Amino acid sequence: MTTFDDILEETGKFGRCQKRIFALLCMVSMPWAGIYVGIVFQGYTPDHWCRQPAVQEHRETCGWTLRDGVKRTVPLVNVSGELQPSSCLQYDMDWNSTALSCDLSQELELSESPRSSCKHGWEYDYEGRQSFVTEFDLVCSDGWLVDMFQATLNVGFLIGSIAIGYLADRFGRKLSFLMSNLLNGIAGILVAVAPNYVSLLVFRTLYGFGVKGGWVAGYVLITEIVGVEFRRTVGVVYQMFFSVGILILPLLAYYITDWRWLQVVITVPYILFLSYYWFIPESPRWLLSQNKKDKAIEITEAMAKENGMTLSKQIETLTDDNANTTVSFMDLIRTPKMRKHTFILSYNWFTSAVVYQGLIMRLGILGGNVYIDFLISGLVEFPAAFLILFTIERIGRRLPFAVANFVAGASCFITACIPDSKSWTQSVACIGRLCITMTFEMVVFVNTELYPTFVSCPSSFLVRSLAILAGGLVLLLPETRGVPLPDTIDDIEFPERHVYLWKDQNGQLFNLLPTNDVTSNKDTAVV
């Protein structure tokens, strides 16, 4: 029998066909950046104070600026040891009956005046950008609703990852990818036209449902059509295009100042991705697992033709060892070591998401130029991919994975504890961004190395569904450098029982894991 990996030797492990498909799918990572961290611009919260109609009229009469009026008529509160005009309190008094004149040098004794919360909304000291915060007045006691905007996205991520993971195994990677993008296009436009905040949250949840699952479906598809030795590189580069999207986002936000139109621009690519129906194939591995051999052969022959290769007759014996294997999400927790791997990777994905968003939002509130700060912080993500590719074959996976988690966690603590010094905070946050980007990218491909092939797809979805603790947990994972990919769950639970054979330069087979007592309940695997 011939496996798909055997056929890839003749088709081309990363030929012209795979490179074309890879380039197309990398585009999917870029708009995801706008969805995931676009809240920095779409939910921008400028300086704000209680709107007081009488003061507003007086300000217009006297020709005062907004800050002139704030300085004279807004109560002061202690903020980080400094007295600053309150964003959420006003003097509860009739300004029309006070001796308020246009003379800015006039001193008013208001320290004993009663105070109250804002009664007539807010005024915002930021011209040009219209965010959903300013549109729906999500400040002061309603400020927590800004976090809900992001929380609903994460809820969509969780549900969508599980649901689309099932659909990808049931109906195929390509169909799941296309259906996700159709949902993204519809939900994204609905977000842009949401008439109120409740509907905005509902549509945002639907948006998250499709975005994450579609992105992972693309990741699984590209890693299934390239040779094993190329999976790590394409996986890391595929994710690196998220950082490309990070660099494009502030440029878009600078010129598109209305959050609704920015939402439309971020959504348009997902509508264009529907054209991929004609440009990307279904995964032959998945087709084989569904006993659709004829279609798998047809696609494989087309790949070989595009790569300028000729297939031998052995393609007629193409088969999949796991074709009759029933795959379930329960496989991820059925045995002790699988449970441990799933828990650690899931925990790392969760904490990476929390830490990443925390560092992103920290950069968004530094008080400087949010576009420049965001652009600089995005640039530091690119070295992450190169550090991964440079270290994983020399040092292994566990140590870089753990160190990146530790440093990212420490960065969060430092940015929370040090004074709001723009230069220091930005430097520490950028270091944290670099390290948390490494953990994000590593958790994906380590996931594919720790699970057998037939389980790696559902795990890729579910595993995504405290960073310092996560760094310690990584050290409990086995080292995978130089170890062949597992074929079955038994290879995970009892690695000492499995004979791993490798071909040397002379074509001779030798055991990678020699043992005096090797038993196996399946045929010897040749890697």
Side-chain angles (χ1 to χ4, degrees):
M1 294 296 182
T2 306
T3 67
F4 185 70
D5 284 321
D6 296 328
I7 294 298
L8 273 180
E9 296 282 349
E10 300 178 358
T11 304
K13 295 183 179 181
F14 193 50
R16 178 180 176 181
C17 179
Q18 288 100 324
K19 291 175 182 177
R20 175 182 60 81
I21 297 169
F22 176 55
L24 289 173
L25 290 177
C26 280
M27 300 299 103
V28 178
S29 291
M30 292 195 290
W32 186 32
I35 297 167
Y36 195 55
V37 298
I39 187 175
V40 172
F41 302 103
Q42 292 179 301
Y44 183 76
T45 304
D47 291 337
H48 52 278
W49 304 276
C50 297
R51 178 182 290 112
Q52 301 178 81
V55 173
Q56 197 170 10
E57 293 176 7
H58 195 84
R59 193 174 66 229
E60 293 173 357
T61 300
C62 296
W64 291 351
T65 64
L66 174 59
R67 289 191 176 269
D68 288 336
V70 167
K71 184 177 179 181
R72 306 203 67 206
T73 62
V74 174
L76 299 177
V77 294
N78 191 318
V79 179
S80 300
E82 296 182 4
L83 290 177
Q84 297 181 10
S86 174
S87 297
C88 305
L89 296 176
Q90 67 178 39
Y91 287 118
D92 193 7
M93 58 189 301
D94 183 6
W95 288 102
N96 290 321
S97 62
T98 63
L100 184 62
S101 71
C102 293
D103 185 3
L104 290 174
S105 63
Q106 179 189 18
E107 294 291 339
L108 296 177
E109 182 53 50
L110 300 172
S111 59
E112 301 299 325
S113 300
R115 303 179 182 185
S116 66
S117 58
C118 300
K119 298 178 179 179
H120 304 285
W122 288 264
E123 291 184 286
Y124 298 94
D125 186 26
Y126 192 80
E127 296 180 359
R129 173 154 296 282
Q130 177 72 20
S131 72
F132 66 80
V133 172
T134 59
E135 181 174 334
F136 300 120
D137 283 336
L138 304 181
V139 293
C140 297
S141 61
D142 289 332
W144 64 277
L145 292 173
V146 180
D147 295 327
M148 280 294 294
F149 181 80
Q150 199 71 357
T152 53
L153 180 72
N154 290 323
V155 169
F157 282 171
L158 175 62
I159 301 173
S161 293
I162 297 173
I164 296 178
Y166 168 78
L167 296 175
D169 278 331
R170 181 70 178 83
F171 300 105
R173 284 55 163 142
K174 179 179 178 178
L175 181 60
S176 297
F177 171 79
L178 294 173
M179 293 303 296
S180 295
N181 284 289
L182 178 60
L183 176 59
N184 296 342
I186 296 172
I189 297 300
L190 289 175
V191 169
V193 299
N196 53 60
Y197 189 69
V198 174
S199 61
L200 177 64
L201 294 183
V202 173
F203 298 148
R204 179 78 165 169
T205 305
L206 291 175
Y207 207 20
F209 183 94
V211 167
K212 186 64 171 295
W215 182 85
V216 179
Y219 175 87
V220 172
L221 176 58
I222 188 59
T223 56
E224 287 187 338
I225 63 174
V226 301
V228 174
E229 61 268 43
F230 292 98
R231 287 183 182 175
R232 301 181 189 100
T233 302
V234 299
V236 171
V237 176
Y238 180 80
Q239 296 176 83
M240 189 178 72
F241 272 79
F242 177 90
S243 300
V244 176
I246 290 287
L247 298 184
I248 296 174
L249 180 60
L251 300 178
L252 291 175
Y254 182 80
Y255 290 103
I256 305 173
T257 57
D258 189 304
W259 73 273
R260 292 183 183 273
W261 281 109
L262 180 60
Q263 175 65 38
V264 170
V265 171
I266 292 171
T267 301
V268 166
Y270 288 106
I271 300 174
L272 298 179
F273 292 152
L274 293 174
S275 65
Y276 283 15
Y277 174 85
W278 292 280
F279 300 113
I280 64 174
E282 180 55 85
S283 166
R285 292 184 190 272
W286 177 80
L287 291 168
L288 288 173
S289 72
Q290 302 297 306
N291 292 315
K292 298 180 180 180
K293 178 180 175 181
D294 292 342
K295 186 63 176 177
I297 291 176
E298 178 185 338
I299 292 174
T300 305
E301 288 177 337
M303 290 172 58
K305 181 178 180 180
E306 187 173 348
N307 289 340
M309 307 292 284
T310 302
L311 297 180
S312 64
K313 292 294 184 179
Q314 65 175 337
I315 192 173
E316 300 299 329
T317 63
L318 186 62
T319 188
D320 180 20
D321 292 338
N322 297 305
N324 298 317
T325 302
T326 301
V327 182
S328 168
F329 282 116
M330 292 303 296
D331 289 328
L332 299 174
I333 58 174
R334 196 181 305 280
T335 59
K337 290 187 178 179
M338 291 285 283
R339 280 195 297 270
K340 184 180 76 171
H341 296 174
T342 300
F343 170 74
I344 294 174
L345 290 175
S346 297
Y347 186 81
N348 266 271
W349 182 267
F350 171 76
T351 55
S352 295
V354 172
V355 173
Y356 186 87
Q357 291 187 33
L359 292 170
I360 280 282
M361 296 308 295
R362 184 64 176 172
L363 286 170
I365 61 175
L366 290 178
N369 188 313
V370 66
Y371 305 102
I372 299 298
D373 291 345
F374 197 91
L375 188 65
I376 293 174
S377 67
L379 287 172
V380 305
E381 292 191 6
F382 283 91
F386 299 105
L387 283 173
I388 291 172
L389 296 174
F390 179 78
T391 59
I392 58 176
E393 298 301 334
R394 294 169 174 81
I395 302 175
R397 278 68 162 155
R398 289 192 305 173
L399 187 58
F401 200 177
V403 170
N405 268 291
F406 279 121
V407 176
S411 299
C412 280
F413 280 113
I414 294 173
T415 55
C417 296
I418 63 177
D420 287 334
S421 168
K422 182 177 182 296
S423 57
W424 270 102
T425 305
Q426 185 174 13
S427 299
V428 175
C430 285
I431 293 173
R433 279 281 296 278
L434 169 64
C435 293
I436 206 62
T437 301
M438 287 185 64
T439 66
F440 250 134
E441 296 180 359
M442 291 190 72
V443 73
V444 177
F445 77 79
V446 168
N447 165 77
T448 62
E449 295 181 335
L450 286 175
Y451 296 110
T453 303
F454 72 94
V455 178
S456 65
C457 181
S459 67
S460 293
F461 289 90
L462 190 61
V463 160
R464 290 151 180 80
S465 326
L466 346 170
I468 290 182
L469 177 59
L473 289 174
V474 168
L475 297 176
L476 299 178
L477 293 173
E479 179 55 70
T480 57
R481 181 181 59 163
V483 178
L485 300 177
D487 294 318
T488 68
I489 292 177
D490 278 350
D491 295 343
I492 301 294
E493 294 301 315
F494 310 106
E496 70 281 357
R497 297 182 184 178
H498 187 60
V499 179
Y500 291 102
L501 299 180
W502 196 268
K503 290 182 180 180
D504 62 17
Q505 295 179 346
N506 298 321
Q508 298 296 315
L509 297 176
F510 65 93
N511 186 10
L512 284 175
L513 300 176
T515 178
N516 295 326
D517 183 20
V518 176
T519 59
S520 178
N521 58 3
K522 69 184 189 71
D523 295 336
T524 300
V526 178
V527 183

PDB file of all heavy atoms in Angstrom, residues 314-330:
ATOM      1  N   GLN A 314       2.208   3.498  -8.757  1.00  0.00           N
ATOM      2  CA  GLN A 314       1.873   3.124  -7.383  1.00  0.00           C
ATOM      3  C   GLN A 314       0.786   4.016  -6.774  1.00  0.00           C
ATOM      4  O   GLN A 314       0.235   3.712  -5.734  1.00  0.00           O
ATOM      5  CB  GLN A 314       3.111   3.154  -6.503  1.00  0.00           C
ATOM      6  CG  GLN A 314       3.720   4.549  -6.321  1.00  0.00           C
ATOM      7  CD  GLN A 314       4.877   4.546  -5.340  1.00  0.00           C
ATOM      8  OE1 GLN A 314       4.976   3.662  -4.501  1.00  0.00           O
ATOM      9  NE2 GLN A 314       5.748   5.533  -5.447  1.00  0.00           N
ATOM     10  N   ILE A 315       0.433   5.110  -7.460  1.00  0.00           N
ATOM     11  CA  ILE A 315      -0.638   5.951  -6.937  1.00  0.00           C
ATOM     12  C   ILE A 315      -1.964   5.199  -6.904  1.00  0.00           C
ATOM     13  O   ILE A 315      -2.871   5.518  -6.138  1.00  0.00           O
ATOM     14  CB  ILE A 315      -0.785   7.247  -7.768  1.00  0.00           C
ATOM     15  CG1 ILE A 315      -1.692   8.243  -7.035  1.00  0.00           C
ATOM     16  CG2 ILE A 315      -1.323   6.946  -9.155  1.00  0.00           C
ATOM     17  CD1 ILE A 315      -1.771   9.601  -7.681  1.00  0.00           C
ATOM     18  N   GLU A 316      -2.072   4.155  -7.753  1.00  0.00           N
ATOM     19  CA  GLU A 316      -3.311   3.377  -7.763  1.00  0.00           C
ATOM     20  C   GLU A 316      -3.520   2.619  -6.456  1.00  0.00           C
ATOM     21  O   GLU A 316      -4.635   2.210  -6.138  1.00  0.00           O
ATOM     22  CB  GLU A 316      -3.296   2.392  -8.941  1.00  0.00           C
ATOM     23  CG  GLU A 316      -3.179   3.055 -10.307  1.00  0.00           C
ATOM     24  CD  GLU A 316      -4.343   3.986 -10.601  1.00  0.00           C
ATOM     25  OE1 GLU A 316      -5.451   3.710 -10.101  1.00  0.00           O
ATOM     26  OE2 GLU A 316      -4.146   4.972 -11.328  1.00  0.00           O
ATOM     27  N   THR A 317      -2.431   2.423  -5.702  1.00  0.00           N
ATOM     28  CA  THR A 317      -2.545   1.713  -4.418  1.00  0.00           C
ATOM     29  C   THR A 317      -2.596   2.684  -3.245  1.00  0.00           C
ATOM     30  O   THR A 317      -2.415   2.290  -2.100  1.00  0.00           O
ATOM     31  CB  THR A 317      -1.360   0.759  -4.234  1.00  0.00           C
ATOM     32  OG1 THR A 317      -0.131   1.510  -4.173  1.00  0.00           O
ATOM     33  CG2 THR A 317      -1.290  -0.245  -5.369  1.00  0.00           C
ATOM     34  N   LEU A 318      -2.833   3.969  -3.548  1.00  0.00           N
ATOM     35  CA  LEU A 318      -2.872   5.000  -2.508  1.00  0.00           C
ATOM     36  C   LEU A 318      -3.931   4.663  -1.466  1.00  0.00           C
ATOM     37  O   LEU A 318      -5.075   4.329  -1.794  1.00  0.00           O
ATOM     38  CB  LEU A 318      -3.180   6.353  -3.144  1.00  0.00           C
ATOM     39  CG  LEU A 318      -3.135   7.588  -2.234  1.00  0.00           C
ATOM     40  CD1 LEU A 318      -1.746   7.780  -1.662  1.00  0.00           C
ATOM     41  CD2 LEU A 318      -3.559   8.828  -3.009  1.00  0.00           C
ATOM     42  N   THR A 319      -3.561   4.752  -0.206  1.00  0.00           N
ATOM     43  CA  THR A 319      -4.485   4.434   0.881  1.00  0.00           C
ATOM     44  C   THR A 319      -4.130   5.258   2.099  1.00  0.00           C
ATOM     45  O   THR A 319      -3.118   5.953   2.135  1.00  0.00           O
ATOM     46  CB  THR A 319      -4.434   2.931   1.219  1.00  0.00           C
ATOM     47  OG1 THR A 319      -5.482   2.635   2.151  1.00  0.00           O
ATOM     48  CG2 THR A 319      -3.099   2.560   1.835  1.00  0.00           C
ATOM     49  N   ASP A 320      -4.976   5.173   3.119  1.00  0.00           N
ATOM     50  CA  ASP A 320      -4.762   5.880   4.376  1.00  0.00           C
ATOM     51  C   ASP A 320      -4.909   4.884   5.513  1.00  0.00           C
ATOM     52  O   ASP A 320      -5.943   4.222   5.631  1.00  0.00           O
ATOM     53  CB  ASP A 320      -5.781   7.020   4.523  1.00  0.00           C
ATOM     54  CG  ASP A 320      -5.598   7.803   5.822  1.00  0.00           C
ATOM     55  OD1 ASP A 320      -4.500   7.717   6.403  1.00  0.00           O
ATOM     56  OD2 ASP A 320      -6.550   8.473   6.258  1.00  0.00           O
ATOM     57  N   ASP A 321      -3.873   4.783   6.352  1.00  0.00           N
ATOM     58  CA  ASP A 321      -3.890   3.825   7.458  1.00  0.00           C
ATOM     59  C   ASP A 321      -5.028   4.091   8.432  1.00  0.00           C
ATOM     60  O   ASP A 321      -5.483   3.199   9.140  1.00  0.00           O
ATOM     61  CB  ASP A 321      -2.562   3.866   8.224  1.00  0.00           C
ATOM     62  CG  ASP A 321      -1.421   3.325   7.382  1.00  0.00           C
ATOM     63  OD1 ASP A 321      -1.705   2.566   6.436  1.00  0.00           O
ATOM     64  OD2 ASP A 321      -0.256   3.691   7.664  1.00  0.00           O
ATOM     65  N   ASN A 322      -5.481   5.350   8.482  1.00  0.00           N
ATOM     66  CA  ASN A 322      -6.505   5.723   9.466  1.00  0.00           C
ATOM     67  C   ASN A 322      -7.877   5.926   8.827  1.00  0.00           C
ATOM     68  O   ASN A 322      -8.742   6.574   9.405  1.00  0.00           O
ATOM     69  CB  ASN A 322      -6.086   7.004  10.203  1.00  0.00           C
ATOM     70  CG  ASN A 322      -4.820   6.804  11.004  1.00  0.00           C
ATOM     71  OD1 ASN A 322      -4.730   5.919  11.837  1.00  0.00           O
ATOM     72  ND2 ASN A 322      -3.816   7.632  10.728  1.00  0.00           N
ATOM     73  N   ALA A 323      -8.053   5.380   7.616  1.00  0.00           N
ATOM     74  CA  ALA A 323      -9.302   5.613   6.897  1.00  0.00           C
ATOM     75  C   ALA A 323     -10.514   5.112   7.661  1.00  0.00           C
ATOM     76  O   ALA A 323     -11.587   5.693   7.591  1.00  0.00           O
ATOM     77  CB  ALA A 323      -9.242   4.948   5.520  1.00  0.00           C
ATOM     78  N   ASN A 324     -10.355   4.047   8.394  1.00  0.00           N
ATOM     79  CA  ASN A 324     -11.491   3.480   9.126  1.00  0.00           C
ATOM     80  C   ASN A 324     -11.476   3.847  10.597  1.00  0.00           C
ATOM     81  O   ASN A 324     -12.218   3.276  11.396  1.00  0.00           O
ATOM     82  CB  ASN A 324     -11.489   1.953   8.974  1.00  0.00           C
ATOM     83  CG  ASN A 324     -11.661   1.524   7.523  1.00  0.00           C
ATOM     84  OD1 ASN A 324     -12.485   2.083   6.811  1.00  0.00           O
ATOM     85  ND2 ASN A 324     -10.872   0.537   7.091  1.00  0.00           N
ATOM     86  N   THR A 325     -10.628   4.799  10.952  1.00  0.00           N
ATOM     87  CA  THR A 325     -10.534   5.217  12.343  1.00  0.00           C
ATOM     88  C   THR A 325     -11.614   6.242  12.659  1.00  0.00           C
ATOM     89  O   THR A 325     -11.783   7.216  11.931  1.00  0.00           O
ATOM     90  CB  THR A 325      -9.146   5.837  12.632  1.00  0.00           C
ATOM     91  OG1 THR A 325      -8.145   4.875  12.326  1.00  0.00           O
ATOM     92  CG2 THR A 325      -9.041   6.222  14.100  1.00  0.00           C
ATOM     93  N   THR A 326     -12.355   6.009  13.720  1.00  0.00           N
ATOM     94  CA  THR A 326     -13.368   6.953  14.159  1.00  0.00           C
ATOM     95  C   THR A 326     -12.708   8.011  15.029  1.00  0.00           C
ATOM     96  O   THR A 326     -12.130   7.707  16.074  1.00  0.00           O
ATOM     97  CB  THR A 326     -14.477   6.244  14.955  1.00  0.00           C
ATOM     98  OG1 THR A 326     -15.072   5.241  14.118  1.00  0.00           O
ATOM     99  CG2 THR A 326     -15.537   7.232  15.391  1.00  0.00           C
ATOM    100  N   VAL A 327     -12.760   9.269  14.586  1.00  0.00           N
ATOM    101  CA  VAL A 327     -12.110  10.360  15.293  1.00  0.00           C
ATOM    102  C   VAL A 327     -13.128  11.080  16.157  1.00  0.00           C
ATOM    103  O   VAL A 327     -14.234  11.375  15.719  1.00  0.00           O
ATOM    104  CB  VAL A 327     -11.465  11.349  14.302  1.00  0.00           C
ATOM    105  CG1 VAL A 327     -10.755  12.460  15.051  1.00  0.00           C
ATOM    106  CG2 VAL A 327     -10.486  10.620  13.394  1.00  0.00           C
ATOM    107  N   SER A 328     -12.738  11.360  17.380  1.00  0.00           N
ATOM    108  CA  SER A 328     -13.625  12.057  18.309  1.00  0.00           C
ATOM    109  C   SER A 328     -12.807  13.038  19.126  1.00  0.00           C
ATOM    110  O   SER A 328     -11.615  12.819  19.386  1.00  0.00           O
ATOM    111  CB  SER A 328     -14.315  11.054  19.242  1.00  0.00           C
ATOM    112  OG  SER A 328     -14.944  11.711  20.311  1.00  0.00           O
ATOM    113  N   PHE A 329     -13.465  14.138  19.540  1.00  0.00           N
ATOM    114  CA  PHE A 329     -12.797  15.067  20.430  1.00  0.00           C
ATOM    115  C   PHE A 329     -12.420  14.389  21.738  1.00  0.00           C
ATOM    116  O   PHE A 329     -11.501  14.815  22.430  1.00  0.00           O
ATOM    117  CB  PHE A 329     -13.693  16.278  20.710  1.00  0.00           C
ATOM    118  CG  PHE A 329     -13.714  17.278  19.600  1.00  0.00           C
ATOM    119  CD1 PHE A 329     -14.880  17.537  18.895  1.00  0.00           C
ATOM    120  CD2 PHE A 329     -12.566  17.956  19.237  1.00  0.00           C
ATOM    121  CE1 PHE A 329     -14.903  18.468  17.874  1.00  0.00           C
ATOM    122  CE2 PHE A 329     -12.576  18.887  18.217  1.00  0.00           C
ATOM    123  CZ  PHE A 329     -13.748  19.140  17.526  1.00  0.00           C
ATOM    124  N   MET A 330     -13.126  13.324  22.081  1.00  0.00           N
ATOM    125  CA  MET A 330     -12.813  12.589  23.305  1.00  0.00           C
ATOM    126  C   MET A 330     -11.441  11.934  23.222  1.00  0.00           C
ATOM    127  O   MET A 330     -10.837  11.630  24.247  1.00  0.00           O
ATOM    128  CB  MET A 330     -13.880  11.532  23.570  1.00  0.00           C
ATOM    129  CG  MET A 330     -15.254  12.096  23.939  1.00  0.00           C
ATOM    130  SD  MET A 330     -15.171  13.167  25.399  1.00  0.00           S
ATOM    131  CE  MET A 330     -14.669  11.968  26.644  1.00  0.00           C
TER     132      MET A 330
END
